[in-house]
Amino acid sequence: MEDLRFDDRDLERLRRHGVAPEEAARQYELLRNPPGYARLDRACRPGDGIRILGQEETEEALAAYERARAANRFSKFVPASGAATRMFRALQWFRNEPRDLSRRDVEEAASKGEDRATGLLRFLDALPRFAFFEDLRVHLARSGGGDAESLAAAFLYRPVLDALLAPEAMGYASLPKGLIPFHKYGDGPRTAFEEHLVEAALYARGADAGVRLHFTISPDQETRFREVLDRACPKGEREGTRYRVGFSAQKPSTDTIAVDFEDRIFRDGDGSILFRPGGHGALIENLNELHGDLVFIKNIDNVSPAQNGGEAVRSKKTLAGLLVLLQEKIHAHLEVLAGGAEGEELEGIAAFARTTLHLETDGIARRGAGALREFLLRRLDRPIRVCGMVRNQGDPGGGPFWVRGANGFVTPQIVETSQIDRGSPEQMEILRSATHFNPVDLVCGARNHRGEPHDLTRFIDPSAVFISRKSKDGKELKALERPGLWNGAMAGWITVFVEVPSHTFTPVKQVTDLLKPEHQAG
């Protein structure tokens, strides 16, 4: 294990990347001595950390949503930089397989439970149902590759996959997922990016007919996204809605260093420090710089055709309205606290913090009114998020849990499975007891009671990092990912979980997910 020393060349590399030597040293220590796992106290459940809204509460929330909409307070933030590589992984495997497999070969593999074989069969059998089929058909015809349907029917899959995935052809495997056509309409296909534009108009459109959206993308893809935007919204308008769309990229300064398995800093072939993207948690800085007010956050691949959005849109409005109601109460309490609340007034605020916001106040209250008032001022003056949670149907990924922090307080948090100690029977039993799953369906209140933007970087849990095993040029390394955007990056936020209908969660993780009924437009 090496002592950490940066030579002049290293310091120049750090400077050009925007990473302070002290930050690189901090990352190095985290890689050498990873923080412990999250300490799950119990799973959040309905009535114990997850709210299920009744009809009266829903109507009150919808009315609050309308007040905020009339004041043009909403915007939408979509992480959209991910490539579609995983979406086409199964097809790419068959494209790279040197043998030309017969349908019988693939059916036999599928019968033995090989998911990629099942995926190829479903893909070819339903090829005309994909929104990108017409583009694929035209590309094959123009390139002399043959007729797409005939090739699929004859199980001649290689020319089809080459046309769809090869970089010199349509290149879908390396495109951002947001630029893949998801849904087919009478007037043509829509990409996931376009569907988010249409969807945002249904719940983020203000009284001024404007919609503000921001997409985080890879910098080399901005031209393509803008071309699609110009086509979908000529002169920035579409069906009476004025779109104000911004783009940004993950900052190089949020990249992280890596180490080898002897805890030596990992370097490129020329000896320079290797930097890797810090994960989606790095996007908290992009969100912070927007200075938004009420912000919807949703992943790029979780979007349905327009005609399927009725209940999903109502759900979004309800979450947003609940946030507005909570924010109004919290901001009013902060004004009272700042004026020196005491007695019954102070206890009433503490009771609200305990029952609605899950803050542990009893121990603080025993230290006197001054300590309680200061505690509430500090803990209520924070960004707020209302997070939709769906019933767990076996989806991989994170969920809502009560987590005991280093300070001893138990708070509701979104926890990824990678943060859980799989060697602990107790922690695994809590994981198995979870009833709900995180679909990344958030509405955030990012301004304080004075209308000023919160500095969101103040509320990150810097220890909630992910250490993963990766490789570079055939050499294994340990990579560091920053606290996830909706995990550790928002750990210090006021958090409320609400159950939302399961069919509002329609992610596309593999291309055949587009064949599900919820993605078949028309």
Side-chain angles (χ1 to χ4, degrees):
M1 183 173 60
E2 68 178 16
D3 291 330
L4 184 62
R5 293 193 182 94
F6 295 127
D7 60 23
D8 289 344
R9 184 185 178 194
D10 291 336
L11 292 172
E12 176 60 19
R13 170 90 164 138
L14 290 168
R15 187 193 65 78
R16 284 190 283 108
H17 220 78
V19 178
E22 297 79 12
E23 170 61 14
R26 185 188 74 86
Q27 295 174 16
Y28 179 65
E29 286 304 313
L30 285 170
L31 286 161
R32 287 178 57 197
N33 300 294
Y37 293 102
R39 294 169 60 197
L40 304 185
D41 187 80
R42 63 193 187 278
C44 290
R45 292 170 171 269
D48 183 27
I50 298 178
R51 295 180 61 170
I52 298 180
L53 301 183
Q55 184 63 31
E56 185 175 341
E57 290 176 297
T58 298
E59 294 302 326
E60 186 181 5
L62 289 171
Y65 159 81
E66 288 296 341
R67 291 200 304 272
R69 186 195 68 78
N72 305 312
R73 297 182 61 191
F74 291 111
S75 60
K76 183 176 178 180
F77 182 86
V78 184
S81 56
T85 308
R86 291 183 183 179
M87 184 174 165
F88 294 101
R89 179 174 290 170
L91 301 185
Q92 193 73 279
W93 186 91
F94 285 100
R95 179 172 173 258
N96 294 332
E97 167 60 43
R99 295 172 298 155
D100 286 321
L101 301 172
S102 68
R103 185 178 184 97
R104 179 176 296 179
D105 293 331
V106 178
E107 286 176 339
E108 184 177 352
S111 71
K112 295 177 181 177
E114 288 191 16
D115 290 342
R116 64 191 175 205
T118 301
L120 178 64
L121 292 168
R122 291 190 65 209
F123 174 77
L124 291 173
D125 289 345
L127 191 59
R129 291 171 56 194
F130 288 100
F132 50 74
F133 172 72
E134 184 59 22
D135 288 342
L136 175 64
R137 187 191 67 77
V138 170
H139 180 89
L140 276 166
R142 287 178 177 172
S143 63
D147 177 72
E149 282 192 84
S150 299
L151 290 168
F155 210 71
L156 298 173
Y157 59 84
R158 195 172 300 279
V160 175
L161 301 187
D162 283 345
L164 187 68
L165 304 176
E168 65 274 13
M170 295 171 70
Y172 273 25
S174 57
L175 275 184
K177 192 180 283 189
L179 297 181
I180 302 295
F182 266 30
H183 306 135
K184 185 188 297 187
Y185 295 87
D187 58 353
R190 283 185 198 160
T191 62
F193 170 62
E194 290 172 274
E195 289 288 31
H196 274 280
L197 299 175
V198 173
E199 184 186 279
L202 300 177
Y203 54 74
R205 184 178 187 266
D208 62 355
V211 174
R212 296 185 299 277
L213 299 99
H214 191 88
F215 295 82
T216 58
I217 60 174
S218 299
D220 60 338
Q221 297 292 343
E222 182 170 351
T223 298
R224 287 188 174 186
F225 273 97
R226 289 196 178 278
E227 287 173 351
V228 175
L229 176 63
D230 290 343
R231 184 180 71 240
C233 305
K235 298 182 180 179
E237 294 192 8
R238 182 190 182 107
E239 297 178 356
T241 297
R242 295 194 304 275
Y243 285 90
R244 304 160 192 164
V245 181
F247 299 97
S248 66
Q250 189 169 311
K251 296 181 177 181
S253 60
T254 64
D255 290 351
T256 58
I257 65 173
V259 297
D260 63 19
F261 278 78
E262 294 182 8
D263 288 338
R264 296 173 302 202
I265 289 181
F266 198 96
R267 297 175 181 274
D268 281 325
D270 63 359
S272 59
I273 295 173
L274 173 72
F275 287 101
R276 302 186 74 263
H280 59 67
L283 300 180
I284 194 71
E285 298 210 12
N286 302 63
L287 180 62
N288 193 45
E289 291 186 352
L290 294 180
H291 297 157
D293 184 1
L294 304 177
V295 187
F296 293 94
I297 299 181
K298 194 177 182 187
N299 277 341
I300 189 67
D301 68 336
N302 182 21
V303 66
S304 298
Q307 74 271 18
N308 295 342
E311 191 167 359
V313 169
R314 181 179 171 85
S315 174
K316 292 284 186 301
K317 292 179 178 180
T318 303
L319 293 179
L322 178 59
L323 172 64
V324 171
L325 292 171
L326 287 171
Q327 190 183 66
E328 288 173 348
K329 290 179 182 177
I330 291 168
H331 288 180
H333 288 328
L334 283 168
E335 294 288 351
V336 173
L337 288 166
E342 55 186 24
E344 290 185 4
E345 194 172 44
L346 180 60
E347 176 49 37
I349 297 173
F352 167 79
R354 280 195 307 274
T355 58
T356 303
L357 306 181
H358 317 298
L359 297 181
E360 298 177 10
T361 62
D362 291 342
I364 304 295
R366 287 193 286 270
R367 291 160 48 189
L372 179 59
R373 187 165 51 248
E374 289 303 314
F375 172 80
L376 289 170
L377 275 167
R378 187 173 68 254
R379 294 304 299 268
L380 296 186
D381 191 11
R382 293 166 179 249
I384 311 165
R385 60 177 179 164
V386 174
C387 312
M389 293 290 155
V390 297
R391 289 276 175 176
N392 198 333
Q393 298 178 338
D395 297 289
F401 293 89
W402 293 99
V403 177
R404 188 170 298 278
N407 58 7
F409 290 123
V410 175
T411 57
Q413 300 287 340
I414 297 172
V415 181
E416 298 291 337
T417 53
S418 59
Q419 295 176 272
I420 299 172
D421 183 1
R422 292 184 171 272
S424 166
E426 176 194 18
Q427 294 289 285
M428 290 304 293
E429 181 56 33
I430 295 174
L431 174 62
R432 285 190 290 269
S433 71
T435 58
H436 286 70
F437 172 79
N438 169 40
V440 188
D441 188 0
L442 289 73
V443 191
C444 304
R447 293 187 181 175
N448 63 23
H449 60 293
R450 295 178 294 275
E452 303 161 340
H454 280 289
D455 177 1
L456 304 182
T457 63
R458 291 181 49 230
F459 305 96
I460 300 170
D461 177 1
S463 69
V465 296
F466 299 83
I467 310 294
S468 57
R469 186 171 180 158
K470 303 288 184 180
S471 65
K472 176 72 162 56
D473 299 331
K475 298 177 183 178
E476 291 191 325
L477 57 83
K478 288 190 288 186
L480 179 72
E481 288 195 19
R482 294 182 176 275
L485 181 58
W486 39 85
N487 310 111
M490 295 182 176
W493 291 39
I494 294 170
T495 296
V496 174
F497 296 138
V498 179
E499 182 176 274
V500 296
S502 295
H503 57 262
T504 63
F505 179 50
T506 59
V508 178
K509 301 304 179 187
Q510 53 190 357
V511 65
T512 50
D513 287 338
L514 291 171
L515 298 174
K516 293 179 179 179
E518 57 265 32
H519 285 291
Q520 291 292 299

